[in-house]
Amino acid sequence: MEIRIDEGLRAYIDPLTDDEREALERSLLAEGCRDALVLWGDLLVDGHNRYALCQKHGIPFETRQNTTFKSMEDVHLWMIENHLGRRSVSDFQRGVLALRKKEILQARTASAPAPDDPPWDEDSGEPPPVITASVSPALSRQALARAARISSNTLGQIEKIQKAAAPELVRAVKDGAISINAAAAVATLPPERQAAAVAGGRKELQQAAREVRQAKAPPPREAVPDIPIENIADLPAEVARLRELLTRLTDERDQLKKKVMHLTVALAEARSGAGGGDD
């Protein structure tokens, strides 16, 4: 059977690096093609790199049909889940795949037929019932991040990068020249400033991220003047001011505690789970 290649489908997942491709080629030459290529009819769904290398070296391979696909969306979702289960996928790639999954599920939810309206008596004098659409739990950031084995905070940062980062900054994240956290900060800068930071190398990127964080940092806390109580002209007003200051500092402390808790949970999520395999 003639195997059909769809270029859009082949490019749906980030291509292998040169080192990964060379490692796969060595494995195929030494051990043959151990995993069957996945087809949908005559369309190649999984195994584009293996197929190309097997064709190049005349290595025999097997195929298997996936009969569960009903549409190209099903194919995309299967590819996303398949790649999320692999150890070699970076956190940034995991986030991108999770966001693609979100887009597909959102589109399906939007196009799903609405439930029939409940009966309503127009003569009752009562207003018609309001029907509110519920958000699928599978679309929550926490659920998507958990499925991708990254923290919800990291997924949020990747979403910011996807929306606002210049192409040069996205490539820098993929190449590991800048962390996801720092890239999310740099992505808030104008595109030309982002490109200039990337051109300046790792140190310039770190400096740009530091400038963004410093600009967003809260102002220094107000110092409490050391004034003898007998020299305070309006003591009740000073007491009220100090109480207001104490309330503000207490709120800041509580917010910091929440941030520490969220970071602890995010770190635990990031350290859990791992899959395996290659294309």
Side-chain angles (χ1 to χ4, degrees), residues 208-223:
R210 188 157 44 246
E211 290 174 1
V212 171
R213 290 169 181 151
Q214 288 174 349
K216 292 182 178 180
R221 291 177 175 175
E222 179 183 349

Side-chain angles (χ1 to χ4, degrees), residues 55-127:
Q55 291 287 90
K56 174 183 176 181
H57 296 290
I59 300 172
F61 57 86
E62 295 181 354
T63 64
R64 69 177 177 87
Q65 288 285 338
N66 189 316
T67 58
T68 64
F69 299 141
K70 300 288 190 301
S71 66
M72 189 58 74
E73 285 183 346
D74 290 340
V75 172
H76 287 159
L77 285 173
W78 184 90
M79 293 177 69
I80 289 170
E81 297 297 341
N82 189 44
H83 280 75
L84 285 177
R86 297 179 172 177
R87 282 192 298 266
S88 59
V89 181
S90 69
D91 283 353
F92 183 75
Q93 289 174 314
R94 290 181 181 280
V96 171
L97 292 173
L99 293 174
R100 288 180 181 175
K101 177 180 177 180
K102 177 183 178 181
E103 290 178 0
I104 295 173
L105 296 179
Q106 281 182 331
R108 286 189 169 182
T109 301
S111 61
D116 294 336
D117 291 338
W120 170 58
D121 184 1
E122 295 184 1
D123 299 327
S124 66
E126 296 293 331

Side-chain angles (χ1 to χ4, degrees), residues 8 19 26 43 56 67 102 112 121 164 177 180 190-191 194-195 204 209 268:
D19 289 343
R26 289 194 299 269
L43 178 65
K56 174 183 176 181
T67 58
K102 177 183 178 181
D121 184 1
I180 294 172
Q194 296 181 39
E204 183 65 25

Side-chain angles (χ1 to χ4, degrees), residues 229 232 234-246:
I229 191 170
I232 299 176
D234 190 349
L235 188 58
E238 180 64 13
V239 170
R241 186 187 72 82
L242 291 175
R243 283 177 176 170
E244 181 181 352
L245 177 60
L246 177 61

Side-chain angles (χ1 to χ4, degrees), residues 20 39 58 68 70-71 85 91 113 115 121 130 134 142 146 153 174 181 183-184 207 219 228 247 254 279:
E20 290 170 339
L39 303 177
T68 64
K70 300 288 190 301
S71 66
D91 283 353
D121 184 1
V130 177
S134 60
Q142 291 80 4
R146 193 180 307 114
N153 184 54
K174 290 181 178 180
N181 183 30
Q207 177 60 29
T247 300
D254 293 341
D279 185 32

Side-chain angles (χ1 to χ4, degrees), residues 4-276:
R4 180 165 58 94
I5 304 294
D6 181 281
E7 291 302 325
L9 203 60
R10 175 159 61 180
Y12 193 69
I13 304 295
D14 284 345
L16 298 178
T17 64
D18 291 341
D19 289 343
E20 290 170 339
R21 187 177 178 85
E22 289 175 4
L24 177 60
E25 188 169 18
R26 289 194 299 269
S27 174
L28 290 170
L29 289 171
E31 304 174 20
C33 187
R34 297 177 296 173
D35 299 321
L37 311 183
V38 178
L39 303 177
W40 181 33
D42 64 345
L43 178 65
L44 180 59
V45 173
D46 182 60
H48 291 86
N49 294 295
R50 281 174 282 139
Y51 178 68
L53 291 171
C54 287
Q55 291 287 90
K56 174 183 176 181
H57 296 290
I59 300 172
F61 57 86
E62 295 181 354
T63 64
R64 69 177 177 87
Q65 288 285 338
N66 189 316
T67 58
T68 64
F69 299 141
K70 300 288 190 301
S71 66
M72 189 58 74
E73 285 183 346
D74 290 340
V75 172
H76 287 159
L77 285 173
W78 184 90
M79 293 177 69
I80 289 170
E81 297 297 341
N82 189 44
H83 280 75
L84 285 177
R86 297 179 172 177
R87 282 192 298 266
S88 59
V89 181
S90 69
D91 283 353
F92 183 75
Q93 289 174 314
R94 290 181 181 280
V96 171
L97 292 173
L99 293 174
R100 288 180 181 175
K101 177 180 177 180
K102 177 183 178 181
E103 290 178 0
I104 295 173
L105 296 179
Q106 281 182 331
R108 286 189 169 182
T109 301
S111 61
D116 294 336
D117 291 338
W120 170 58
D121 184 1
E122 295 184 1
D123 299 327
S124 66
E126 296 293 331
V130 177
I131 308 299
T132 57
S134 60
V135 178
S136 170
L139 288 175
S140 71
R141 178 180 292 177
Q142 291 80 4
L144 290 166
R146 193 180 307 114
R149 300 195 190 98
I150 57 177
S151 71
S152 57
N153 184 54
T154 297
L155 182 59
Q157 291 172 341
I158 294 171
E159 191 167 19
K160 290 180 182 177
I161 294 169
Q162 288 282 91
K163 290 179 179 178
E168 297 88 346
L169 181 58
V170 173
R171 285 196 295 271
V173 180
K174 290 181 178 180
D175 294 341
I178 184 172
S179 69
I180 294 172
N181 183 30
V186 177
T188 62
L189 297 171
E192 59 274 12
R193 177 69 179 97
Q194 296 181 39
V198 174
R202 187 183 296 270
K203 287 186 177 180
E204 183 65 25
L205 282 168
Q206 292 173 344
Q207 177 60 29
R210 188 157 44 246
E211 290 174 1
V212 171
R213 290 169 181 151
Q214 288 174 349
K216 292 182 178 180
R221 291 177 175 175
E222 179 183 349
V224 179
D226 186 13
I227 302 175
I229 191 170
E230 60 270 13
N231 294 343
I232 299 176
D234 190 349
L235 188 58
E238 180 64 13
V239 170
R241 186 187 72 82
L242 291 175
R243 283 177 176 170
E244 181 181 352
L245 177 60
L246 177 61
T247 300
R248 188 166 69 250
L249 293 176
T250 302
D251 289 342
E252 290 181 11
R253 180 204 63 188
D254 293 341
Q255 290 297 322
L256 287 173
K257 283 185 177 180
K258 289 181 180 179
K259 287 184 179 180
V260 171
M261 180 184 68
H262 291 161
L263 288 172
T264 302
V265 172
L267 181 60
E269 290 178 353
R271 288 176 173 173
S272 65

